[in-house]
Each structure stands twice: as C-alpha cells, then as structure tokens.
Amino acid sequence: MQVLKAMREAAGLSRHIAAKRLGISTSTLAGYENGWRTPRVAILAKMVHAYDLSPSDAGRMLESFA
C-alpha cells in the first residue's frame, strides 16, 4: 500500500522509527506498506496518531484497504 508508505514518509519517519512507535517489527510494517499484510484496526489507529494524520488523511488511508 503505497499510501501507507507515503504517509509515513510525509510524517518524516523512517520505517524503523515508525515500527518502534507502532510496537511492531520493521518487517511487519514493510508487509503493510507493500500490501503483503493487512493491519488490524488497532494498528491503523496507532498509525493515525503516530503519523499525526488529519481526518481526511486517515479516511484516505482506510480507503486504501477497501
């Protein structure tokens, strides 16, 4: 999901730092960003907070999984 990677990068976070903030491994985060895995709702909520997303960005992130 290129949307997830773009949002992480827009927040100025490396994959390593973002994964640490989310409480997951970097390989798990890479799986989400590359579309190999689908994050649980709790992880998506953590991403919204960690990436400091606006409501519209959060909606766009959720739409990427529809």
Side-chain angles (χ1 to χ4, degrees), residues 3-4 7 41 44-45 48 57-66:
V3 172
L4 293 180
M7 290 183 176
V41 172
L44 291 172
V48 169
D57 285 340
R60 192 165 52 107
M61 180 179 69
L62 293 174
E63 287 174 358
S64 70
F65 292 99

Side-chain angles (χ1 to χ4, degrees), residues 26-42:
T26 55
S27 62
T28 297
L29 182 54
Y32 297 154
E33 291 181 351
N34 291 311
W36 304 324
R37 301 181 71 159
T38 302
R40 296 183 322 257
V41 172

Side-chain angles (χ1 to χ4, degrees), residues 14-59:
S14 67
R15 188 175 280 160
H16 175 76
I17 296 298
K20 189 171 184 170
R21 287 188 184 180
L22 298 170
I24 60 176
S25 69
T26 55
S27 62
T28 297
L29 182 54
Y32 297 154
E33 291 181 351
N34 291 311
W36 304 324
R37 301 181 71 159
T38 302
R40 296 183 322 257
V41 172
I43 295 297
L44 291 172
K46 286 182 179 183
M47 286 179 178
V48 169
H49 180 66
Y51 300 173
D52 195 28
L53 299 179
S54 68
S56 63
D57 285 340

